[in-house]
Amino acid sequence: MKFITAIILTALTGFIAGILSFSPWWGFAITSFLVAILVHQKGGKAFLSGFLGIFLLWAGLAWWMDMKNNGILSHKIAQILPLNGNSLLLILITGVVGGLVAGFAAMSGSYLRASSKK
C-alpha cells in the first residue's frame, strides 16, 4: 500500500511542481525526495516508486501533447534526434529521463531518512 501511495503522491506533487511557474524543470526531484522522506520505504522500492510516478506522469503528458498536435512536433523532434522519426520512442525516452531523475531523488530521500534514524 505504501508503494502505490508513494507512486500517486510522487506523480501528484510532481505535476503540481510543474504547474508552478517559479519551479525549475527539475522541481519534481525535490518533491520526489520529500515524498520518499515522508513515505518510508527501502531504497530500491523508493527508487521504483519515484521512477514510476514521474515516468507515468511525463510519458502521459508527452503523449497527451503529442495527440493534441497530431504528432507533428514529436515526429520532427524525433527526426532531429537519432530516432528515425519514431514519436513513441521519443515519448518513452522522455519518461525514462524524468523517471531516472525522480528515482534517484527518491532513493536519496529514503537513504537520508534511514541514516537519520541511526
Side-chain angles (χ1 to χ4, degrees), residues 51-110:
F51 180 87
L52 285 176
I54 297 299
F55 174 82
L56 293 172
L57 176 69
W58 272 29
L61 288 174
W63 176 77
W64 181 61
M65 286 185 235
D66 186 50
M67 291 297 113
K68 289 191 71 134
N69 66 21
N70 295 324
I72 295 170
L73 181 61
S74 64
H75 181 70
K76 289 185 180 193
I77 292 173
Q79 284 178 334
I80 293 171
L81 298 173
L83 301 175
N84 295 328
N86 191 345
S87 299
L88 181 61
L89 190 56
L90 180 66
I91 291 169
L92 289 176
I93 289 172
T94 301
V96 167
V97 168
L100 285 174
V101 173
F104 285 123
M107 188 169 60
S108 298
S110 173

Side-chain angles (χ1 to χ4, degrees), residues 6-18 25-33 35 46-62 91-106:
I7 291 173
I8 293 169
L9 276 175
T10 302
L12 184 64
T13 56
F15 182 74
I16 291 169
W25 74 268
W26 48 265
F28 66 91
I30 296 169
T31 61
S32 300
F33 181 81
V35 167
F47 175 85
L48 194 58
S49 64
F51 180 87
L52 285 176
I54 297 299
F55 174 82
L56 293 172
L57 176 69
W58 272 29
L61 288 174
I91 291 169
L92 289 176
I93 289 172
T94 301
V96 167
V97 168
L100 285 174
V101 173
F104 285 123

Side-chain angles (χ1 to χ4, degrees), residues 37-48:
I37 289 175
L38 294 175
V39 180
H40 179 60
Q41 294 179 347
K42 296 203 182 245
K45 280 193 171 184
F47 175 85
L48 194 58

